[in-house]
C-alpha cells in the first residue's frame, strides 16, 4: 500500500468521535470529520491539525444530499475511502407520552438512517480498498433506562444494520459494531461546553473493570477492528462498558 489510509468519522467534532479522530491521526490516517455542529467541527480541525491531515465537512447525516456531498468531497480530497466510522448520534429522552413523532423521527434519522446513508454511499469506495465500516451503537440497544425509547430503538437498529451489512458487503468490506457503555468524554466537547467530570469513587467501583471508560477504550478497539490482519472478524458486536452489562443481567 503506497497511500495513506482515509477514514470518515461522523460526529467527529466532539466526544467519542473526536477521540477516534485523534487516535487515527496518530496512526497516519487522513481524516474527514463529518459534523453538523460547525463550531465543534471547526474547533476540532484546528486543534488536531498538528497531528496530520484532517478536514471538517459540514454534514447532516440524515440528509441524503449532505451525505452524497460528503463522500464526493472526501474522494476529491484524498482519492478514496478505507474506513467509515458511523458515530454521529443524538438523543431526545422524555416520557413516551411526551415524545413527539418529529422527535422520534429525528433521532431515528440521525442515528440509524444516517448510518445507512453513509454506508450506502461509501461502500463502493471502501470495497475497492477492502476496508471496514465500524458502527457505534450503545449498551442501550441491549438494556435500557427509562424514557430512552427513540435512542434505544435507534441503537438496536444500528446493531441489526451491522450484521445485515456484513452479509451484503462481505467479503470485501468488513462491518462491525461497538456498543459503548459509560465513556466519559466531557473534556472532548466543544470549548464553551468543555469540562472535567467530577467522577466519584463509586462511579468507578460500580464497574467490574474498576473504572469509568474513556475515549481510548473505544479508539483502541476501532484500531483493532480496522486492521487488515483481523480479516476474519465481521458482523460482530463488541460491548465496551467495563463489565456493566453482564453485571446488570446477572444481579
Amino acid at each position: 500500500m503506497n497511500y495513506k489510509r482515509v477514514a470518515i468519522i461522523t460526529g467527529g467534532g466532539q466526544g467519542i468521535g473526536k477521540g477516534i479522530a485523534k487516535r487515527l491521526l496518530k496512526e497516519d490516517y487522513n481524516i474527514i470529520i463529518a459534523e453538523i455542529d460547525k463550531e465543534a467541527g471547526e474547533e476540532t480541525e484546528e486543534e488536531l491539525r498538528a497531528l496530520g491531515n484532517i478536514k471538517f465537512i459540514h454534514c447532516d447525516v440524515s440528509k441524503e444530499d449532505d451525505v452524497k456531498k460528503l463522500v464526493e468531497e472526501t474522494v476529491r480530497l484524498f482519492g478514496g475511502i478505507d474506513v467509515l466510522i458511523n458515530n454521529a448520534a443524538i438523543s431526545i429522552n422524555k416520557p413516551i407520552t411526551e415524545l413527539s413523532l418529529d422527535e422520534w423521527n429525528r433521532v431515528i434519522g440521525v442515528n440509524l438512517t444516517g448510518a445507512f446513508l453513509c454506508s450506502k454511499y461509501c461502500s463502493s469506495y471502501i470495497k475497492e480498498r477492502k476496508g471496514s465500516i465500524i458502527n457505534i451503537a450503545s449498551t442501550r440497544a441491549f438494556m435500557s433506562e427509562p424514557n430512552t425509547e427513540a435512542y434505544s430503538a435507534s441503537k438496536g437498529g444500528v446493531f441489526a444494520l451491522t450484521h445485515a451489512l456484513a452479509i451484503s458487503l462481505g467479503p470485501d468490506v468488513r462491518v462491525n459494531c461497538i456498543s459503548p457503555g459509560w465513556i466519559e468524554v466531557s473534556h472532548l466537547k466543544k470549548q464553551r461546553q468543555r469540562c472535567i467530570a467530577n467522577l466519584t469513587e463509586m462511579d468507578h467501583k460500580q464497574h467490574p473493570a474498576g473504572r469509568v471508560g474513556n475515549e481510548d477504550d473505544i479508539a483502541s478497539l476501532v484500531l483493532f477492528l480496522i486492521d487488515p490482519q483481523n480479516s476474519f472478524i465481521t458482523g460482530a458486536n463488541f460491548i465496551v462498558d467495563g463489565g456493566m452489562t453482564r453485571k446488570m443481567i446477572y444481579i
Side-chain angles (χ1 to χ4, degrees):
M1 183 178 68
N2 57 2
Y3 63 87
K4 290 178 68 171
R5 300 182 80 196
V6 178
I8 294 176
I9 304 170
T10 69
Q14 301 189 80
I16 288 173
K18 183 175 181 178
I20 295 170
K22 185 175 182 180
R23 187 68 173 273
L24 292 188
L25 281 169
K26 292 179 179 179
E27 297 294 324
D28 205 30
Y29 274 75
N30 290 319
I31 298 296
I32 293 288
I33 49 173
E35 175 64 61
I36 195 171
D37 188 322
K38 290 184 178 180
E39 182 182 6
E42 290 170 355
E43 283 181 5
T44 294
E45 181 181 335
E46 179 65 26
E47 287 176 20
L48 300 185
R49 188 176 292 149
L51 297 176
N53 291 328
I54 182 170
K55 174 68 175 176
F56 156 60
I57 296 178
H58 184 251
C59 180
D60 180 342
V61 296
S62 71
K63 296 181 178 179
E64 190 168 23
D65 285 345
D66 276 22
V67 173
K68 287 180 180 179
K69 291 175 183 176
L70 166 69
V71 175
E72 290 169 359
E73 182 67 3
T74 300
V75 174
R76 186 188 70 80
L77 287 170
F78 295 133
I81 304 167
D82 297 87
V83 172
L84 168 65
I85 312 291
N86 283 313
N87 168 75
I90 62 170
S91 61
I92 302 175
N93 298 336
K94 57 175 63 175
I96 191 169
T97 53
E98 299 174 16
L99 185 71
S100 71
L101 179 59
D102 285 344
E103 290 171 327
W104 167 274
N105 285 337
R106 181 59 182 162
V107 174
I108 298 296
V110 173
N111 299 7
L112 181 55
T113 305
F116 157 71
L117 288 172
C118 290
S119 299
K120 174 179 178 176
Y121 288 105
C122 288
S123 61
S124 61
Y125 295 102
I126 297 174
K127 183 176 181 179
E128 289 176 0
R129 297 188 173 184
K130 300 189 185 305
S132 291
I133 296 172
I134 304 294
N135 294 324
I136 306 298
S138 169
T139 52
R140 294 286 78 79
F142 309 103
M143 61 175 204
S144 294
E145 295 177 335
N147 306 321
T148 64
E149 280 73 19
Y151 184 80
S152 296
S154 72
K155 292 302 187 176
V158 168
F159 167 66
L161 178 65
T162 297
H163 54 72
L165 287 171
I167 297 299
S168 299
L169 300 179
D172 292 327
V173 179
R174 293 186 299 113
V175 188
N176 288 292
C177 187
I178 299 173
S179 294
W182 185 351
I183 305 297
E184 180 50 55
V185 289
S186 299
H187 59 293
L188 292 176
K189 291 184 178 180
K190 58 187 177 183
Q191 289 180 9
R192 63 188 178 88
Q193 296 179 348
R194 196 170 300 171
C195 64
I196 301 300
N198 184 25
L199 298 174
T200 67
E201 184 178 2
M202 183 58 67
D203 290 333
H204 292 294
K205 282 188 172 180
Q206 68 176 293
H207 293 78
R211 64 174 177 83
V212 173
N214 60 59
E215 68 274 14
D216 285 333
D217 295 316
I218 306 302
S220 294
L221 182 53
V222 168
L223 275 175
F224 176 82
L225 292 173
I226 64 178
D227 189 329
Q229 294 185 71
N230 299 316
S231 61
F232 200 56
I233 303 174
T234 192
N237 177 63
F238 298 84
I239 292 177
V240 183
D241 71 346
M244 283 295 289
T245 301
R246 182 172 296 275
K247 178 182 177 184
M248 292 299 292
I249 287 173
Y250 286 101
I251 283 179

